[in-house]
Amino acid sequence: MSIRRLPSELIDRIAAGEVVERPASALKELVENALDAGAANVTIRLSGGGIGLIEVTDDGCGMSPDEMRLALERHATSKLPNDSIDRVTSFGFRGEALPSIASVSHLTLESRERGADGWRIEIDHGVRAMEGPAALPPGTRVRIEELFGKVPARRKFLRSPRGEYAASLDAVKRLAMARSDVAFALEHDGRRVLSLQPSSPPQRVAALLAAELERHGVGIDCVRDGLRLTGVVSLPTFNRGMADQQYLFVNSRPVKDRLLVGALRGAYRDLIARDRHPIAALFLEVPLEDVDVNVHPAKTEVRFRDSAAVRGLIVGGIRAALDAESHRSAAREQAAAPVQWITSENARHPGVGRDLSEIQPPHQNFAETPAYARATNHTVREQRPLFNGIRVEPAARAEAAVEPVPSFPLGVARGQVAATYIVAEAEDGLVIVDQHAAHERLVLERLRAGRSDGSVPRQNLLIPEVVELDEPDCDRLEGAVTDLSGLGLEVERFGPTSILVRSVPAALGSPDLRKLLSDLAAEIAELGSALSLQERLDHVEATIACHGSVRAGRVLSVAEMNALLREMEVTPRSGQCNHGRPTWVKLAHSDIEKLFGRR
Ligand SMILES: Nc1ncnc2c1ncn2[C@@H]1O[C@H](COP(=O)(O)OP(=O)(O)OP(=O)(O)O)[C@@H](O)[C@H]1O
Ligand SMILES: [Mg+2]
């Protein structure tokens, strides 16, 4: 085996493998170069998702012909003036992007410094093709054609132009958010897709991210230990099936960092179902010496000196902001919009609400129904068969609206519908509460409040109960005895296949113990050791809460309903259930008036 030094073209090709994965990554490098050159305007043209053409034009400082030649060489950069890689403030610093891209494409570099003439150099797959004068305004224009033209292995892995376009658009959006002071224009296949004027960071984020965030978002601005976090995140009830709208920046550098993504997830734990994702644009500012940007060839990951502090700031900062808004739910916000019934489904997929005008009045004589009779203080007569002998059981109860409505935000209970929803009258509208979702949330918050000060009220069973489960489940519960005891659930191993229960959290009432324990065992098995203890406890708590809450289908007394409403008003985060769905919606008086054509 003979060892040899590789020719420089091959070295560039190998480097390109790391840096230039697809058109979007080449585009990202070019736009970063334009921003590093101090451009105020960046204009991008793409065709075929960038597979056909990527062209980036800037009005930055430009380069002299000599600098251009150097820029196309490996390890040549202007960005580390004092050989220090510890305090990088530019996007680029590796001196690799241009030669790497030039080795796998046909690259045309044109540039002109102010007060000088323009110059052009063309490189064809790593080989100098031509050089000569060029006419262009001051600045730089880079054109990439035939990307991976001679690297069939790479080309095979490209997605359709549509898929590559999506990735390219995403790359541009991230950089445009990072630098809201720069104007960006993007054209794809001759169509203008983006046209962004210089603006403030919040305005830029609003222009690029879900416009709905203005109503369904929460602003973040917090400082801790020399770190600062700003930006906007969505309310838990305004979430997505994909984590594709999470934009994270460290010192203005767009990153896709596992630590940051994990912290964002952590901030929403138990506010959102595991397969749903918040929308976010978060800007983290860290002292330069506390972050290492040289850990990934594409510069999309970073390493923090104190990663626990970063995680703490993100989880704590977002959580505090969400708590401050905890009674808001995306549904309530929406209900203020032109009449729409908000369901938990369309709260998650906003914009698909059903217009109330589609709902037809029932073809039934109201005065005939027991609910009407009760509401108007008529005695309910013997239930009469309606509709050719089909007996209609009363499906709803209502209380007479006689006393004035005291000003409770969630109103006073007027009745229950389908034994599942509480209907309440508030000063400013009609409130509908999902009793199970709401109660589950209250129980969880009660358990959590107890856990944080170590005083979960527990209820000792007069006679400890023995629950039979299979052996692995018993093993799992035995392993979690201490954690469970902290939550008010005292269990102990009683035999190979049985568990003895001594106490349950008081918030639970009298749950079905066998079902509770087997659900907990399943939960513990599923979570494994992947999560921190804190996060495991949170999940277990959520499972317990689900068991302790009133089910849909249970008939509640008016007193019980009002008690639930009052408790919701004073409980943090009661606007959404443990799975990120709203627990209540409100139909404003104005919306009701619209329904009846009074407005
Ligand atoms: N649009 C541009 N305007 C002015 N100078 C540029 C432009 N693009 C590149 N350069 C110059 O060419 C050099 C090499 O660019 P290249 O992208 O290859 O490396 P880099 O940006 O220094 O580091 P990295 O590989 O991390 O991107 C830059 O350091 C810069 O001086
Ligand atoms: Mg660069």
Side-chain angles (χ1 to χ4, degrees):
M1 189 173 64
S2 61
I3 300 181
R4 66 180 180 117
R5 287 186 200 285
L6 296 176
S8 68
E9 276 169 52
L10 198 52
I11 296 177
D12 287 342
R13 193 70 85 80
I14 292 170
E18 295 176 331
V19 183
V20 193
E21 195 193 339
R22 57 197 299 189
S25 39
L27 172 60
K28 164 188 165 297
E29 294 294 336
L30 298 187
V31 175
E32 287 185 351
N33 280 347
L35 294 172
D36 281 344
N41 289 280
V42 177
T43 307
I44 302 153
R45 284 202 308 138
L46 301 177
S47 72
I51 303 172
L53 168 80
I54 302 173
E55 185 189 85
V56 176
T57 308
D58 68 60
D59 57 357
C61 62
M63 287 175 274
S64 69
D66 277 346
E67 285 174 333
M68 290 167 70
R69 285 180 208 109
L70 207 50
L72 290 161
E73 275 178 33
R74 223 167 127 65
H75 303 312
T77 180
S78 59
K79 298 173 190 174
L80 298 176
N82 41 22
D83 289 351
S84 155
I85 194 155
D86 302 333
R87 302 182 60 86
V88 176
T89 52
S90 51
F91 287 112
F93 54 85
R94 297 165 49 95
E96 280 193 331
L98 286 182
S100 300
I101 297 169
S103 73
V104 289
S105 68
H106 187 98
L107 181 140
T108 308
L109 175 62
E110 295 171 292
S111 198
R112 181 179 152 197
E113 291 181 304
R114 265 169 200 78
D117 292 330
W119 194 252
R120 166 191 314 179
I121 301 180
E122 281 185 41
I123 309 264
D124 188 47
H125 294 87
V127 181
R128 179 88 43 100
M130 74 80 73
E131 227 190 285
L136 76 159
T140 302
R141 177 158 61 213
V142 186
R143 199 169 19 242
I144 303 174
E145 288 151 302
E146 300 168 38
L147 184 63
F148 302 132
K150 294 188 183 164
V151 198
R154 275 280 155 153
R155 221 180 155 91
K156 256 203 329 248
F157 282 103
L158 292 183
R159 294 199 213 139
S160 64
R162 190 186 271 272
E164 295 301 332
Y165 166 64
S168 298
L169 178 62
D170 186 64
V172 174
K173 280 188 178 180
R174 285 177 197 273
L175 285 161
M177 273 190 218
R179 289 293 305 275
S180 63
D181 56 323
V182 174
F184 282 83
L186 170 63
E187 198 185 287
H188 182 229
D189 289 338
R191 199 167 57 87
R192 178 57 68 95
V193 193
L194 283 182
S195 179
L196 300 165
Q197 291 312 308
S199 53
S200 67
Q203 282 171 330
R204 182 59 64 85
V205 168
L208 288 172
L209 210 56
E212 298 92 331
L213 268 196
E214 220 164 292
R215 287 198 299 141
H216 304 313
V218 178
I220 309 282
D221 190 351
C222 53
V223 182
R224 195 194 287 171
D225 302 333
L227 310 174
R228 174 152 193 229
L229 183 71
T230 54
V232 58
V233 296
S234 59
L235 285 171
T237 38
F238 191 72
N239 52 45
R240 282 173 70 75
M242 283 202 300
D244 59 339
Q245 291 206 9
Q246 300 180 349
Y247 297 86
L248 306 171
F249 305 86
V250 176
N251 295 340
S252 291
R253 180 188 300 280
V255 294
K256 296 189 171 165
D257 194 83
R258 294 247 309 274
L259 173 87
L260 301 183
V261 172
L264 177 60
R265 181 122 278 272
Y268 280 83
R269 82 179 170 247
D270 75 41
L271 293 177
I272 212 168
R274 252 179 268 173
D275 57 346
R276 308 292 305 178
H277 307 272
I279 299 170
L282 289 172
F283 300 84
L284 181 68
E285 287 161 52
V286 186
L288 289 180
E289 55 275 15
D290 289 349
V291 55
D292 184 358
V293 292
N294 186 26
V295 291
H296 190 268
K299 298 163 287 190
T300 52
E301 285 171 28
V302 291
R303 194 181 293 132
F304 298 101
R305 193 173 54 80
D306 187 354
S307 50
V310 169
R311 190 184 154 92
L313 174 72
I314 295 178
V315 176
I318 296 178
R319 199 69 190 199
L322 291 177
D323 284 358
E325 304 280 342
S326 62
H327 295 291
R328 260 171 84 195
S329 83
R332 185 181 71 167
E333 295 295 302
Q334 270 202 322
V339 279
Q340 276 197 332
W341 277 116
I342 308 307
T343 65
S344 50
E345 210 26 53
N346 64 31
R348 282 190 282 158
H349 308 288
V352 297
R354 187 142 74 104
D355 195 313
L356 269 182
S357 56
E358 292 168 19
I359 299 172
Q360 298 298 319
H363 304 287
Q364 194 178 339
N365 184 351
F366 280 109
E368 301 278 356
T369 64
Y372 179 83
R374 178 139 11 137
T376 50
N377 275 341
H378 292 182
T379 27
V380 183
R381 279 166 291 164
E382 247 276 335
Q383 274 181 32
R384 304 186 325 144
L386 295 172
F387 304 125
N388 306 329
I390 302 168
R391 267 184 100 79
V392 178
E393 298 295 332
R397 296 179 299 115
E399 296 301 316
V402 278
E403 77 279 17
V405 184
S407 60
F408 291 117
L410 294 180
V412 292
R414 291 287 178 220
Q416 194 186 19
V417 180
T420 301
Y421 305 101
I422 298 168
V423 179
E425 182 181 0
E427 266 181 329
D428 55 346
L430 176 73
V431 174
I432 303 175
V433 175
D434 177 334
Q435 67 188 43
H436 172 66
H439 194 238
E440 190 178 30
R441 186 79 211 171
L442 297 183
V443 173
L444 179 68
E445 292 295 337
R446 239 184 276 158
L447 285 175
R448 179 162 312 149
R451 168 150 67 96
S452 63
D453 58 21
S455 66
V456 182
R458 61 192 63 199
Q459 175 194 331
N460 292 323
L461 302 184
L462 277 181
I463 306 163
E465 198 171 321
V466 177
V467 177
E468 294 287 328
L469 293 168
D470 66 11
E471 197 165 346
D473 277 353
C474 290
D475 292 343
R476 289 181 189 117
L477 292 169
E478 192 181 0
V481 162
T482 331
D483 294 349
L484 294 176
S485 153
L487 299 172
L489 183 65
E490 264 173 67
V491 296
E492 98 198 21
R493 187 72 176 250
F494 195 62
T497 58
S498 48
I499 294 280
L500 187 74
V501 184
R502 294 196 179 277
S503 78
V504 296
L508 286 200
S510 43
D512 173 345
L513 285 177
R514 212 201 97 75
K515 178 104 187 34
L516 172 64
L517 290 189
S518 77
D519 280 4
L520 283 175
E523 175 92 27
I524 293 167
E526 192 192 327
L527 296 175
S529 52
L531 298 178
S532 69
L533 173 65
Q534 168 74 32
E535 281 164 320
R536 278 210 310 275
L537 284 179
D538 286 342
H539 283 294
V540 168
E541 223 167 32
T543 305
I544 294 181
C546 183
H547 279 266
S549 43
V550 295
R551 299 269 134 209
R554 208 186 99 190
V555 176
L556 298 176
S557 72
V558 172
E560 282 175 314
M561 291 191 266
N562 277 320
L564 187 75
L565 295 176
R566 297 296 79 78
E567 193 174 343
M568 286 174 72
E569 284 160 0
V570 296
T571 303
R573 299 174 287 268
S574 62
Q576 69 268 327
C577 77
N578 302 344
H579 315 289
R581 292 189 295 271
T583 53
W584 59 275
V585 298
K586 183 182 276 183
L587 198 59
H589 282 156
S590 55
D591 293 335
I592 301 177
E593 281 163 4
K594 275 187 213 133
L595 273 179
F596 293 100
R598 284 169 173 264
R599 274 197 168 202

